[in-house]
Amino acid sequence: MGAKVEESVGWGLVGASTIAREWVIDAIRQTGGKPLVVMSRDADRAATYARANGIARATTSLSTLLADEAVDAVYISTTNERHHDEALAAAEAGKHVLCEKPLALTLSAAEAMVRACRDRGLIFATNHHLRNAATICKVRELVQAGVLGAVHAMRIFHAVYLPEHLQSWRLHRPDCGGGIAFDISVHDADTARFILDDEPIDVVAQTGKFGLSSHGLNDAVMYVMRMRSGVLVQAHESFVTRHAGTGLEVHGADGSIFAREVMTQRPVGSVWLRRDQTERPIPVEHENLYVRALSRFHAAMRGLGSPTADGWDGVRSLAVALAVQEAARSGRRVRVSPAGLASS
Ligand code: NDP
């Protein structure tokens, strides 16, 4: 595999998805990879998608895609309930896996996916794009350098309006893993873990329904989680909030950081540090988040470093999303499962 990887990494796309079309196909191409084949259950959709995105082959069969010897790695971006079976099949076929979040609908399923790749010496990464943002990396750097002194709180603002072209299974299909927590809480949990270098212990939450979602799914949530260090992390996530803007704040004894418009797929936003009554901008060199993720994935395939978010990071973020859902459902404080901690 080593020589092949040096030439070009062959990719199979499991899912004719919006996210692949908007971001990941380009990122694969920009970092030495080549999307070779795309799979959809629908033959016409697969063929149309392949043509529109310059991909040579289309298939409705996962086994055909996985039997392709030119495919070194797969990108799984189907609806959430399909990730598990597809990842296990990919591992069985000896393919490296970049998987979308949430990894699965249960922790045992997510852990099985990560173990299947680990046991075969294959790379498994979770596409938590936010920890690839230059802004988020800068916040982490400042926090970890102690610029804020002892940190006691973080606030995450990730309440947006779900674009119309995405208003389908996320809002109406519990069986596909729809709902706000599987979509956004996983990302915010990962971002908090990354910036604070800390683990969530427990969470309280309230969900809401404001007209977009159906079938018992929620389109908004607010929660507070307590980290192992005692730091409190508050998050507001929504699909129905058109005008709030996004951001995150970290507050410590010696200062506060304000990262504005950073909870997004785009390489935008700004970071500000407030200390001693003054606020100043912190320079950030923006970079495409998905290009950075794919670049690190390709490097990991060559034995250089690890993906920005590995499989255990995906297990940990899922543990938080499940705890958020359970806390909102029960009205109680819920412990975040320690799943993945011993392995990560
Ligand atoms: P899409 O809705 O664009 O579709 C992906 C696949 O899901 C399609 O190929 C289709 O499979 C199936 N699908 C589409 N619509 C429906 C439906 N109404 N009911 C059932 N199945 C459907 O996916 P997204 O790009 O929005 O999301 C794909 C994955 O990526 C999800 O896991 C999501 O959480 C994740 N994601 C991650 C982001 C990130 O930045 N990390 C951003 C956006 C999404 P088929 O063709 O086989 O029928």
Side-chain angles (χ1 to χ4, degrees):
M1 163 107 20
K4 175 81 197 305
V5 170
E6 294 304 323
E7 289 164 22
S8 160
V9 178
W11 281 83
L13 305 184
V14 181
S17 67
T18 310
I19 172 76
R21 175 170 54 76
E22 290 183 344
W23 294 100
V24 176
I25 291 173
D26 275 354
I28 288 173
R29 289 189 171 127
Q30 281 187 46
T31 54
K34 195 167 179 191
L36 299 174
V37 49
V38 60
M39 190 214 86
S40 160
R41 293 172 298 196
D42 181 287
D44 284 345
R45 185 154 60 237
T48 307
Y49 191 95
R51 248 192 328 274
N53 293 287
I55 299 167
R57 296 191 285 287
T59 180
T60 56
S61 157
L62 180 61
S63 13
T64 301
L65 181 148
L66 294 174
D68 191 330
E69 287 189 1
V71 169
D72 305 300
V74 297
Y75 170 52
I76 297 175
S77 62
T78 48
T79 48
N80 302 329
E81 86 290 3
R82 291 163 63 184
H83 299 170
H84 169 260
D85 290 358
E86 292 163 346
L88 288 191
E92 185 68 31
K95 312 296 185 189
H96 302 283
V97 175
L98 171 60
C99 189
E100 272 305 340
K101 41 49 67 170
L103 292 187
L105 306 190
T106 66
L107 284 171
S108 56
E111 288 178 295
M113 296 157 70
V114 180
R115 283 204 194 95
C117 282
R118 182 200 60 191
D119 294 349
R120 291 170 175 82
L122 299 164
I123 304 297
F124 186 106
T126 310
N127 202 23
H128 277 314
H129 61 294
L130 289 169
R131 57 163 78 198
N132 293 290
T135 47
I136 304 279
C137 290
K138 183 57 75 179
V139 175
R140 173 184 156 95
E141 186 186 310
L142 294 169
V143 168
Q144 295 305 321
V147 170
L148 303 184
V151 170
H152 56 264
M154 179 169 178
R155 301 195 288 205
I156 300 175
F157 308 91
H158 203 158
V160 296
Y161 190 78
L162 187 68
E164 273 168 30
H165 68 286
L166 297 181
Q167 292 183 15
S168 60
W169 57 269
R170 276 178 182 76
L171 297 172
H172 309 297
R173 295 284 302 270
D175 56 322
C176 292
I180 193 84
F182 279 153
D183 204 52
I184 303 190
S185 304
V186 284
H187 279 317
D188 293 345
D190 183 68
T191 304
R193 290 181 64 243
F194 177 67
I195 287 176
L196 299 173
D197 197 14
D198 201 353
E199 289 296 337
I201 295 294
D202 53 19
V203 62
V204 292
Q206 296 264 24
T207 44
K209 296 184 181 71
F210 297 96
L212 269 196
S213 59
S214 69
H215 293 79
L217 293 175
N218 297 290
D219 47 31
V221 63
M222 289 188 178
Y223 57 88
V224 177
M225 58 187 179
R226 194 167 50 101
M227 307 299 280
R228 193 185 268 161
S229 62
V231 171
L232 297 178
V233 178
Q234 174 200 66
H236 174 203
E237 299 158 357
S238 143
F239 289 147
V240 297
T241 311
R242 286 183 192 268
H243 307 293
T246 72
L248 66 81
E249 303 171 357
V250 189
H251 302 284
D254 301 336
S256 289
I257 293 171
F258 301 84
R260 298 182 174 128
E261 303 303 337
V262 296
M263 308 307 280
T264 168
Q265 298 176 293
R266 292 171 297 125
V268 297
S270 59
V271 178
W272 299 77
L273 175 64
R274 191 181 291 167
R275 275 165 57 116
D276 307 325
Q277 316 293 331
T278 60
E279 184 170 302
R280 67 182 170 92
I282 303 294
V284 169
E285 281 185 38
H286 290 292
E287 180 186 359
N288 182 307
L289 287 62
Y290 299 91
V291 167
R292 185 165 184 275
L294 264 297
S295 166
R296 286 276 298 267
F297 189 95
H298 286 154
M301 284 178 67
R302 295 195 301 272
L304 303 172
S306 51
T308 45
D310 67 15
W312 299 116
D313 292 314
V315 171
R316 296 298 304 137
S317 67
L318 176 60
V320 173
L322 291 168
V324 166
Q325 286 174 341
E326 176 55 19
R329 193 198 60 76
S330 65
R332 292 218 283 270
R333 180 166 60 181
V334 171
R335 279 197 82 70
V336 176
S337 164
L341 273 183
S343 318
S344 53

